[in-house]
Each structure stands twice: as C-alpha cells, then as structure tokens.
Amino acid sequence: MKEIASSISQLSPAKRRLLQKLLQETLVTDSVAPSQVIPARPEQETMVCSFSQEQLWLLDQLDPGNISYNISFANRLEGPLHLAALERSFQEVVRRHEALRTTFVNEEGQPRPVLANSLYIPFPLVDLQQICGDERENVVGQLLRLEARKPFDLACGPLLRVLLLRLGATDHVFLLVMHHIISDGWSMKVLAQELTTLYNAFASEKPSPLPELTLQYADFASWQRDYLQGDMLNSQLTYWARQLSGVVPLELPTDHPRPMLQTFNGAHQLLPLPQSLYDELRALSRREGVTLFMVLLAALQTWLYRYTGQADIAIGTPIANRSQPAVEGLIGFFLNTLVMRADLSGSPRFTELLKRVSQVTQEAFAHQDIPFAKLVAELQPTRSLSHAPFFQVVFILQDTSIVDIHLALNNLTQSLFPIESGTSQADLTFQMLQTGQGLAAYVEYNTDLFEADTIARMLGHWQTLLEGIVAAPEQTITTLPLLSAEERQHLLSEGTGPLRPLPAGMTVHEAIEAQAQRTPDALALVCGEQAISYHMLDAQANALAGRLQRHGVQAETLVAVLAERGLALVISVLAIWKAGGAFLPLDPQQPAVRWQQVMQQSAAALVLSSSPFLPHLEPVCQQVELPVLLLPDLLKQQTPEGEPYRRWHWHGHQLAYVISTSGSTGQPKGVMVEQAGMCNHMLGKLADI
C-alpha cells in the first residue's frame, strides 16, 4: 500500500484527478443496484418536484424573489464573435434540457412543475463601445451586478436569462443567470460545455454533434420520490436522527446582534495561502491516512470551537449528488447537503480529532441519499426564523480546475469576469480553493452579522491555526496557536487598556439614579418610536423593584428574564438590581431545552417574561418548578403609597448578572459578573466615546 501511495504521489495533479475520476466511476458503477437505475417516466405521468426543489419553492413562498438563490457566471470573450451562432446554441441548450423550461405554480399549497413545450429566451445585446476606459469597466461591473441580483418569479418564469455586453468590435461579456431551483454548480458547467460544443459546430455551419438526451431531470425527480421510501428511507432517517439529535446553534462571535429574521446580505474575502502550507497539509493527510477534505474540516471545526467554546460543532457541506452516471450530463438541481457533526469534547489532540472526523465523514457519505430538505421535513428540528436548521456554517473544498466554468469558443479567448452578487446563504461559507497556484481560502459572510475587518482578522487566525497544525499535529486543539505574534504582543501589552480608578461602592443602577436626579427630563432610552426620560426610567424601575421584592427577590436572588429587546427589558434589569437581585438573561433564539438547562444549573428563583414566549416557556418552568411572572402585567400594577422598595446596602462585589456559555463540554456554564466589574465596563465604554 505504501508503494502505491508513493507512486500516486509522484503523479502530476492532472493525472491524479483523472485517476480519482476513474476510481469514482468504477465505484459508482459497481454500487448501483438494478433497482437504482433511473427509468424514463411515462409521458402521461404527472411531473413532480424533487425534494430539493420543493424546499426551495417553500422558501420562496416565505420570501418571494430571494436573490440569494440566483447563480450566475460571466465570461469575457475576446475575438470575432459569431452572435447568431451563440444565440442559436443557447436556445438549443434550452430545448434539450426540460429543467430550463420548467416553472412552478402553487396548487393547493403545493408546488407543481409546469413544462413549456418550447421556450425562447431573450438575448439582449447592450452596446457600451461609446464609453471609454475605466468608466466602461465600472459600468460593466454595475450592469452585471444589477442583472445578477434581479429576482425570478418561479410561477411565471423563465428561470434563466442572459445578457451580452459589447465593449468593442471583438470584445464582449456574456452573462448567464439561473435560479437554483433548476440548476446547480455542476449544471452550469454542463451548460457551458454544451454551449461551447454547439457554438463551435454552428459557427462552422455544421449540425449539432450532441446526441438527444434519453433522460430528463423530471425522470430523476420521479425516481427519487419512489426510491426514498420504506426500508431505504427508514435506514437513512434512523442514522441522521441519531447523528443530529440535540444539535444546538453555533454562538458565533458576530459584530452585530442576529436579526429576528434571517437575512442574506453578503460579501466575500479571499486569502491565498503559501504553497508550502498546501504541501504540508497534503503530507499530513497522507501520514494520517485521511483525505485533505477531512484535515481541513477538522481544522475548521477547531477554528470554530476556539471562537465559540462549543465542543459540539455541526457544519454543512454540499455534495454533487450525481452518483448515478445517467444524470451526470443533465441540467437540474441535484445538489445535496450533508451535516458534519464533530465531538471536540475533552480537548483532544488534533490527530485524535482527525480520527473522529474521518469516521463521521465516512458515515455521512454512506447515508448521503436522503436530501437535506427531506431530512429537515422528517426530523422537524426546532426552527428559528433567524438561522437555518442544523448548521450556520458551510464548508467546501473545491478543485477549481475540475469545476471551472468557461466557454472555449473557436477563435475566442475567454476569462471569467467577477460578479459581486452581494448575497450570502449562510452566516459563513468557507471555501478552500485548490488552484494552480496552491490553496486559497474564500469566505462568503453575512454582512448583517460581520464587519469586513473582523473577517480579515479571522482569516489571519485561520492561516495561523493551519500553520500550527502542520507544525505540531499532536498538540491539543486548545493549545494550537490562533493569534499572530503581533496580536499576542498587543494583547499582552496594550489589550487590557489603561487603568482607571473605580468609584468606591458604586453600582450601575445607583449611577443611573444619580443621573436621574441631575437631569430628570433628559432622554434616557429610545426604542423605535418609544422614548423615556431618566426620571420615568428610574421611577418605573423603583416601582417594579418593590413588586419583585414582594415576590421574594432579595440580595443576590437570581431572576431569569426572557423578553424582547426594548424599554421593558432595560427597566426589568434595573429593577432586579434595585431589589437586590441578579439578572439571568435567556436568549429568545435558543430552543426551550436550552432555557431549561440554564435555569436548572443557575438555580434561578423566578422568571420574568412576556406573552409571546409563554407557550414554550411554561412547560419548561413547570418541569423546573419555577414561577413565571408576566413583565407587562407587573409594569401596569399600581404601586402602594410610601417607599416603593426596600433599599439594600449594595457593594461592588455583589452579583450583577450571570451569563451562560456552552463551555468545553457543550453544556451551559454560568459566568458570574459583579457590580464592580459591570460598573468598570460601563465607565470604560464612556471613556472610549
């Protein structure tokens, strides 16, 4: 085996890719049972959606025209272009592939594919020859971006479009945009290959050399519905139900709070890595008997663990899902997503983590037949409108020479024209690109969560981590380096900030009370169209503090709060402190089981909440035997005359709040923050303004 591995390592990259492809084809051919052969469906049979198409259609119903599912590529073509041959070639590709002529209508709440017998796609030509120099390049970029971001109407169609820009007599840019429901990355390459073959024939006045297709995407969709039933479906579901049980969302170190509704605004950054690092990563994979994909996946899960402290890391990774040779030449939405879940508990050595990741990866690929959309529908995880189910980070290892999409048209030179779509389907999509120049990290990120500077710094940490892994893979994942030498020195020497004297005995709520006495009518809080003065803020907090004391809150009583961001939340925190208690925040975006864990481990005595959360909160509070008080009702209650609450002798070491983290075991752990630390933090913020 070592001799074989040595011989393979001596092959050129191109020959290694060819060998891999031949082996994959052999494995696929041997593994396809007769029952798995995809038959052509009878013509009279009603068309059905694939499971993946159905999921995209449902998402479009919730957010019509979501442009994050637009896929596009643009080629710059330099040389004499035969425009009529190009248009004829494109229309022929549309004729050949039924998926490109399909739309999706709503039939009693379910998607129904509708096939157009014929379809002409407009072929607009925009002449930009009169615009000169850099200005023309800017206009080209703007036009491509605008076209790539136009939404599609799934019911009316068409679900693809083209645009041809003329920059000069022999200089053109060809843009193709398609909706994901009819295409994927592999399909884009199939289309480009067929377009090239047809153009080269038609430009030479020759007939099409392509044979007619014997199978269409609708045949695959029909077969998939029949295939994923009975024992086959049950065995796949049994594995994934066990594998994904208890997955919790990643608490990524975002720059901005996560919106209540998931957004898809995005940008990207690219970090080329040294060739020497690429060579060392491949050498490590060979020594450990794993693939480069597994090494990089384990590294990414380590990277996320170091940011989040969560030892249970789930990442999505897309696969082509074309194990059947008959569908390799079809255009359609075949792409599937697998969930790679890693157990990083116990601070393992990186080599030990590699073994865990290798086993999980092999098991996942052995159970890859069930579409992710079907998996979500069957397992019904706790859903949140703020993020996708099961994972928020996507990982891709991509050989750009294999998936390169270009038009090799006769007598023309081509180059890819970059398009910044401004979208991101996940919080982070982490692509490792194998190029002719080595390895590069390409990160697509949600701009509503992350700033560009943060992503650039995180990419630097990624390179440092990879260098640490290849230098000493026997290190534990907690001791592998993440910071550069410059960052480490900055944190040690300057990162703690200047020392400032802390007023003796001051607490945050006392500071706000003093401010209310100095400027009672000054604006204290603004939330949307609501506003409140310092006097009203302090008065309402005093009244609520008295009501909390009558419910048993006293010195360092822990009060859990589950409420929307707003004035009432701030008032409740101040009231808890005034009553002598400490604040325990419950995250509305976390599942109810997480609330239960936090309340049990913290020994909270009381829960404040609001009506929208009661259906999920009350069953949990019944299990942990905690009373629930409605915050809006408490704020409306009349306050008895006299002192609204009993004042305590507060001190700096009194507990202010408890914040829960996942910890290295994946279980929530409480971090206690004192009033002095809280006050110091607030004063530091004021000093920085």
Side-chain angles (χ1 to χ4, degrees):
M1 290 299 294
K2 291 184 178 179
E3 293 178 357
I4 295 175
S6 176
S7 299
I8 293 175
S9 67
Q10 302 301 317
L11 297 176
S12 67
K15 289 182 178 180
R16 282 202 300 272
R17 288 194 297 271
L18 178 59
L19 176 61
Q20 183 181 21
K21 186 175 187 300
L22 291 172
L23 289 173
Q24 287 175 339
E25 290 175 350
T26 302
L27 289 172
V28 167
T29 303
D30 291 344
S31 64
V32 175
S35 60
Q36 292 179 267
V37 174
I38 301 176
R41 64 184 181 84
E43 290 186 8
Q44 67 275 13
E45 183 179 295
T46 302
M47 289 178 63
V48 296
C49 291
S50 67
F51 292 113
S52 299
Q53 284 182 323
E54 183 177 63
Q55 177 70 5
L56 272 195
W57 182 85
L58 289 171
L59 291 174
D60 187 77
Q61 298 299 296
L62 295 172
D63 185 14
N66 186 334
I67 62 171
S68 68
Y69 294 103
N70 289 9
I71 53 178
S72 57
F73 83 99
N75 277 62
R76 189 163 191 165
L77 307 172
E78 297 180 89
L81 178 64
H82 194 313
L83 182 57
L86 180 61
E87 180 176 359
R88 180 186 171 194
S89 302
F90 186 78
Q91 305 299 345
E92 173 63 10
V93 174
V94 174
R95 184 199 67 81
R96 287 170 51 79
H97 293 272
E98 290 182 357
L100 303 180
R101 294 183 274 118
T102 304
T103 52
F104 302 84
V105 299
N106 188 334
E107 193 170 84
E108 298 181 353
Q110 297 296 320
R112 180 173 66 85
V114 177
L115 175 64
N117 292 327
S118 63
L119 179 64
Y120 172 78
I121 302 299
F123 215 85
L125 173 64
V126 178
D127 197 329
L128 303 177
Q129 294 181 90
Q130 302 305 315
I131 305 175
C132 301
D134 293 340
E135 183 182 356
R136 182 175 60 195
E137 296 296 318
N138 291 334
V139 170
V140 170
Q142 292 172 7
L143 288 175
L144 295 181
R145 177 181 170 85
L146 286 172
E147 197 68 23
R149 291 176 60 85
K150 286 182 181 177
F152 287 102
D153 186 329
L154 299 191
C156 296
L159 302 184
L160 73 164
R161 56 177 174 263
V162 296
L163 177 66
L164 191 64
L165 305 179
R166 176 171 287 162
L167 283 59
T170 57
D171 189 3
H172 296 80
V173 175
F174 175 79
L175 171 70
L176 170 63
V177 187
M178 310 167 77
H179 194 281
H180 214 331
I181 201 168
I182 62 167
S183 184
D184 54 22
W186 185 303
S187 297
M188 296 289 273
K189 185 172 183 180
V190 170
L191 189 148
Q193 290 172 339
E194 290 199 358
L195 193 60
T196 294
T197 301
L198 291 167
Y199 175 88
N200 293 339
F202 294 162
S204 303
E205 299 184 353
K206 295 179 181 178
S208 168
L210 298 177
E212 287 296 318
L213 297 171
T214 58
L215 209 63
Q216 293 287 346
Y217 183 81
D219 301 321
F220 165 79
S222 178
W223 167 83
Q224 184 189 60
R225 294 275 176 175
D226 292 336
Y227 176 60
L228 287 174
Q229 294 184 24
D231 293 341
M232 166 59 187
L233 177 61
N234 291 334
S235 65
Q236 297 263 329
L237 284 176
T238 299
Y239 167 78
W240 287 111
R242 181 180 69 252
Q243 181 66 10
L244 300 180
S245 175
V247 169
V248 298
L250 284 177
E251 299 173 6
L252 296 169
T254 59
D255 294 302
H256 307 288
R258 184 180 295 277
M260 293 298 290
L261 293 177
Q262 184 179 7
T263 63
F264 301 93
N265 301 314
H268 73 268
Q269 291 190 32
L270 179 69
L271 175 67
L273 298 173
Q275 178 67 44
S276 58
L277 179 56
Y278 183 29
D279 294 338
E280 290 169 335
L281 287 167
R282 289 188 296 176
L284 173 62
S285 69
R286 289 193 294 269
R287 288 198 306 271
E288 297 299 321
V290 298
T291 64
L292 179 62
F293 173 88
M294 295 173 185
V295 171
L296 293 172
L297 177 61
L300 182 60
Q301 288 165 328
T302 301
W303 187 74
L304 292 169
Y305 165 73
R306 296 289 292 275
Y307 282 130
T308 65
Q310 293 173 254
D312 185 359
I313 304 288
I315 294 176
T317 186
I319 60 172
N321 195 31
R322 298 194 187 226
S323 58
Q324 308 293 327
V327 302
E328 289 184 355
L330 293 184
I331 293 174
F333 184 23
F334 293 89
L335 188 75
N336 194 18
T337 302
L338 301 180
V339 183
M340 302 296 183
R341 187 180 185 182
D343 174 15
L344 291 84
S345 61
S347 186
R349 299 178 185 275
F350 184 78
T351 49
E352 174 58 32
L353 176 61
L354 262 182
K355 295 176 183 177
R356 301 181 190 180
V357 170
S358 174
Q359 180 177 350
V360 168
T361 302
Q362 292 180 60
E363 290 176 354
F365 276 94
H367 297 85
Q368 65 174 294
D369 290 326
I370 185 167
F372 181 72
K374 179 69 171 175
L375 188 64
V376 173
E378 293 288 340
L379 297 185
Q380 296 185 351
T382 302
R383 301 299 296 269
S384 170
L385 295 177
S386 64
H387 58 76
F390 293 128
F391 61 86
Q392 295 81 53
V393 177
V394 174
F395 173 66
I396 303 169
L397 175 62
Q398 192 159 278
D399 187 335
T400 57
S401 64
I402 293 178
V403 300
D404 183 28
I405 302 171
H406 67 279
L407 301 175
L409 309 185
N410 284 347
N411 304 316
L412 293 169
T413 59
Q414 74 89 36
S415 58
L416 288 178
F417 205 104
I419 306 173
E420 179 58 73
S421 66
T423 62
S424 177
Q425 291 186 23
D427 292 357
L428 290 171
T429 298
F430 215 94
Q431 294 190 57
M432 295 301 294
L433 306 176
Q434 299 180 86
T435 69
Q437 290 72 45
L439 196 64
Y442 178 96
V443 175
E444 187 178 83
Y445 61 96
N446 187 306
T447 52
D448 292 319
L449 298 176
F450 298 98
E451 294 290 338
D453 289 346
T454 299
I455 297 299
R457 188 164 58 253
M458 293 169 78
L459 277 172
H461 296 164
W462 172 245
Q463 180 172 343
T464 301
L465 177 64
L466 291 179
E467 291 170 345
I469 287 172
V470 297
E474 291 297 327
Q475 286 191 76
T476 64
I477 60 174
T478 53
T479 57
L480 284 166
L482 205 65
L483 302 178
S484 66
E486 294 79 8
E487 284 181 302
R488 183 181 294 275
Q489 181 59 35
H490 172 76
L491 289 175
L492 291 174
S493 61
E494 304 175 29
T496 56
L499 294 175
R500 299 188 181 96
L502 182 66
M506 178 183 284
T507 63
V508 173
H509 56 281
E510 287 178 315
I512 293 176
E513 185 176 289
Q515 184 66 35
Q517 293 174 356
R518 288 192 298 268
T519 59
D521 297 326
L523 197 61
L525 289 175
V526 176
C527 181
E529 297 181 355
Q530 294 180 303
I532 191 172
S533 68
Y534 274 102
H535 169 71
M536 290 301 299
L537 173 64
D538 192 53
Q540 291 191 36
N542 289 343
L544 181 56
R547 294 162 199 153
L548 292 177
Q549 287 181 337
R550 287 191 288 277
H551 282 282
V553 177
Q554 52 185 331
E556 297 195 341
T557 299
L558 205 55
V559 180
V561 180
L562 178 63
E564 306 92 338
R565 292 174 181 267
L567 303 185
L569 179 58
V570 178
I571 293 169
S572 68
V573 175
L574 290 176
I576 291 169
W577 288 338
K578 284 173 177 284
F583 168 53
L584 175 68
L586 297 179
D587 188 348
Q589 298 178 9
Q590 294 284 3
V593 64
R594 175 59 179 252
W595 303 338
Q596 181 177 345
Q597 291 175 326
V598 169
M599 288 187 287
Q600 283 179 324
Q601 295 196 6
S602 63
L606 185 67
V607 183
L608 298 182
S609 189
S610 52
S611 299
F613 302 107
L614 283 184
H616 298 293
L617 179 62
E618 283 188 325
V620 172
C621 289
Q622 289 174 2
Q623 291 184 20
V624 297
E625 298 182 350
L626 276 183
V628 181
L629 301 179
L630 282 177
L631 188 54
D633 293 347
L634 287 174
L635 291 172
K636 293 176 184 177
Q637 288 179 8
Q638 295 295 322
T639 302
E641 294 185 5
E643 186 71 13
Y645 70 101
R646 182 164 60 89
R647 291 176 174 270
W648 292 90
H649 175 65
W650 294 286
H651 54 81
H653 295 298
Q654 189 164 333
L655 186 63
Y657 71 89
V658 175
I659 187 73
S660 294
T661 65
S662 295
S664 60
T665 64
Q667 295 296 321
K669 293 182 178 179
V671 178
M672 298 185 292
V673 179
E674 296 179 342
Q675 284 283 354
M678 182 70 182
C679 191
N680 188 39
H681 173 74
M682 298 302 294
L683 290 174
K685 290 290 186 182
L686 290 173
D688 292 335
I689 295 178

